[in-house]
Amino acid sequence: MNIEEIRGRSRVILAIDEEEPRKYWNVLDAVGSSVKAVKLGWMAILSLGSDGVKSLINGHDDKYFIMDAKMADVNFINEKIARRMAGLGFDGIIMHGFIGPSNAPPSVMDVFVLISMTQGPTLYDASLERAMDYTKAIDRRGIVVPGNKPDIIRKAREQFPSDVIISPGIGAQGGSIGCAVKHGADFGIVGRSIYESSDPVESLKRLEREAAESQC
Ligand code: O7M
């Protein structure tokens, strides 16, 4: 799937970082077609195994799947990882920006570059401008910037006018999706506020409403 097909139509990327394999299926069954994009990471690979992740993706072919690999290795390893993840059915993959363009994976799928984190301080906070410069030189579809730091989203949008901006840290980490969208995010990445909710569908609808209102 192409992320441009859902950009602007849906604002929530569902992150699932659960221990129990069945919970991945349960939450996706619960939200159904209202979720258009899903972010999985190392917890999914550890909990479901790579074959389990492949089945999960195959069983939900109406959705865009991003692997949050947070890649930070050298180029030939990142290339192997990206090719394996593409083989599992992922449409996009996330890398750390600090490793720079020479270590970025080839564009076997969409690449999203992380340039700042929701929790810190990290080295990114001291070097945001440099992280942005490194990122501009990377062949990418978009960037990851913290949804709980609206000023950083605004700076990133100024510097990356056409990138797909995806922003974690919504809800459980204090960020507001309406505020993130207002400052330039295309999508909020939301985990616990949906998958730990007693009513995931209602939580999702509320988040989509807040995103559409685009207020702080
Ligand atoms: O909504 P939560 O807090 O339950 O989950 C947040 C998700 O966003 C979880 O999957 C984290 O791995 C991810 N995330 C952060 O929380 N902080 C970051 O700085 C970056 C990410 C992320 O998605 O990086 C790609």
Side-chain angles (χ1 to χ4, degrees):
M1 177 178 284
N2 185 336
I3 199 160
E4 295 298 342
E5 288 171 30
I6 51 175
R7 191 181 194 184
R9 288 201 298 126
S10 166
R11 296 287 197 176
V12 175
I13 296 174
L14 170 62
I16 320 177
D17 302 289
E18 290 274 30
E19 302 271 352
E20 282 183 50
R22 68 177 169 79
K23 290 195 175 168
Y24 290 81
W25 290 88
N26 289 353
V27 69
L28 288 182
D29 282 350
V31 293
S33 62
S34 26
V35 160
K36 311 285 184 223
V38 179
K39 182 185 82 79
L40 302 176
W42 294 113
M43 280 309 302
I45 304 283
L46 292 168
S47 301
L48 292 160
S50 49
D51 287 345
V53 167
K54 191 173 185 176
S55 305
L56 188 77
I57 295 174
N58 281 341
H60 298 90
D61 59 3
D62 61 327
K63 303 187 199 315
Y64 182 92
F65 278 88
I66 304 177
M67 173 59 196
D68 183 0
K70 289 199 181 69
M71 281 193 291
D73 213 317
V74 288
N75 49 13
F76 72 100
I77 301 293
N78 291 337
E79 174 165 359
K80 286 185 189 187
I81 294 171
R83 291 193 188 284
R84 287 292 298 271
M85 294 302 173
L88 298 185
F90 283 104
D91 304 289
I93 193 159
I94 294 171
M95 62 173 280
H96 267 293
F98 68 78
I99 65 173
S102 64
N103 287 311
S107 43
V108 291
M109 60 180 143
D110 292 343
V111 170
F112 294 86
V113 184
L114 186 151
I115 59 175
S116 176
M117 299 192 75
T118 57
Q119 311 273 329
T122 73
L123 198 50
Y124 284 124
D125 300 312
S127 317
L128 185 63
E129 308 301 327
R130 296 294 298 278
M132 289 188 184
D133 288 344
Y134 273 59
T135 300
K136 285 177 188 163
I138 296 170
D139 188 9
R140 62 186 191 281
R141 171 72 59 181
I143 56 174
V144 184
V145 288
N148 56 352
K149 298 180 183 172
D151 286 351
I152 295 185
I153 303 178
R154 184 178 41 74
K155 279 187 198 149
R157 179 49 84 201
E158 283 164 13
Q159 296 291 317
F160 297 88
S162 53
D163 275 55
V164 177
I165 296 188
I166 63 177
S167 293
I170 304 296
Q173 294 183 57
S176 138
I177 194 164
C179 199
V181 167
K182 183 177 174 154
H183 284 76
D186 291 292
F187 295 92
I189 297 173
V190 189
R192 289 164 290 175
S193 296
I194 295 175
Y195 69 73
E196 287 182 356
S197 162
S198 56
D199 189 343
V201 177
E202 188 43 47
S203 301
L204 180 68
K205 281 188 189 155
R206 183 180 45 75
L207 285 156
E208 288 286 5
R209 269 198 309 274
E210 286 173 16
E213 285 162 11
S214 174
Q215 295 297 323
C216 285

